[in-house]
């Protein structure tokens, strides 16, 4: 199963606006994507409550996983998104 490890780039971490942008992008992915912190249980990346519950702050490394056709492309896009400061006005 393809995975990507990425440090959260947003100043506020995966909360509010950054989480919403990430969850919306994950929901559009052609494959099921999960996200986790460390060895914790993976949660669906398209679930706002699950993503918020991760408590990922700026610099926290998260692991994205997906399987199926288009998984690598989906993970590349989502990892690039998470690495940005999604709190910035010109993000995405």
């Amino acid at each position: 199963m393809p995975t990507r490890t990425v440090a959260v780039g947003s100043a506020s971490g995966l909360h509010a606006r950054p989480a919403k942008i990430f969850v919306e992008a994950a929901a559009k992915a052609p494959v099921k994507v999960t996200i986790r912190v460390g060895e914790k249980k993976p949660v669906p990346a398209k679930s706002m409550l699950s993503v918020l519950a991760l408590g990922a702050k700026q610099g926290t490394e998260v692991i994205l996983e997906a399987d199926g056709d288009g998984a690598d492309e989906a993970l590349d896009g989502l990892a690039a998104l998470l690495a940005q400061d999604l709190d910035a006005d010109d993000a995405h």
Side-chain angles (χ1 to χ4, degrees), residues 22-82:
F22 172 74
V23 167
E24 287 175 350
K28 293 176 185 171
V31 292
K32 180 183 170 199
V33 179
T34 61
I35 182 172
R36 65 184 165 90
V37 175
E39 295 302 315
K40 292 182 181 173
K41 183 179 177 219
V43 299
K46 65 180 183 180
S47 167
M48 185 69 167
L49 289 176
S50 296
V51 170
L52 289 172
L54 292 172
K57 300 184 179 346
Q58 184 178 33
T60 299
E61 284 197 341
V62 296
I63 297 99
L64 303 173
E65 297 174 319
D67 203 12
D69 290 340
D72 282 310
E73 295 82 4
L75 291 176
D76 288 343
L78 290 171
L81 190 64
L82 280 179

Side-chain angles (χ1 to χ4, degrees), residues 2-23:
T3 65
R4 299 291 183 280
T5 302
V6 60
V8 175
S10 291
S12 67
L14 270 181
H15 296 285
R17 183 172 182 230
K20 179 178 184 282
I21 293 167
F22 172 74
V23 167

